[in-house]
Amino acid sequence: MSRGAGRTAVYPDDPVARVLFESVGDVVVPRDEPALATFSAATATFAAPGRTLLQNSGKLEALARKHTTPGGINERFLADLRGDGLRDSVLARVSGQ
């Protein structure tokens, strides 16, 4: 469901793309490609789950599954965490174990 609450990064700036994406939310134009990569990773990984955390309670594992698109950035991020053993460490710390 579209909420118009997201921000879409457009790089390089393009008037046609800007008009298209402004119809569904805010548009941000990063200063360079590294800034685009940082913005994309941060918003894809944390924006929607952060809003959901504010509105719901429940287990982080269920929240992660809800916000993971097959083949998407969140799925790759979680796979990297699992592969490095970091996921269990983070979940234990967040859970107070």
Side-chain angles (χ1 to χ4, degrees):
M1 171 166 89
S2 174
R3 294 182 182 98
R7 289 188 172 89
T8 302
V10 175
Y11 181 85
D13 196 5
D14 180 280
V16 175
R18 189 182 277 252
V19 168
L20 174 70
F21 290 113
E22 283 176 342
S23 70
V24 294
D26 293 333
V27 171
V28 175
V29 180
R31 68 181 173 275
D32 53 28
E33 286 189 39
L36 171 65
T38 300
F39 179 86
S40 296
T43 58
T45 306
F46 300 115
R51 282 192 301 274
T52 302
L53 276 173
L54 291 173
Q55 299 168 355
N56 299 293
S57 61
K59 295 189 179 262
L60 288 175
E61 189 70 31
L63 176 66
R65 277 194 308 274
K66 182 177 179 179
H67 290 281
T68 300
T69 302
I73 292 173
N74 288 352
E75 182 180 71
R76 289 189 310 221
F77 180 70
L78 288 173
D80 287 346
L81 289 178
R82 287 184 183 113
D84 293 339
L86 186 58
R87 174 189 162 268
D88 294 331
S89 174
V90 169
L91 288 178
R93 180 170 285 199
V94 171
S95 301
Q97 299 176 3

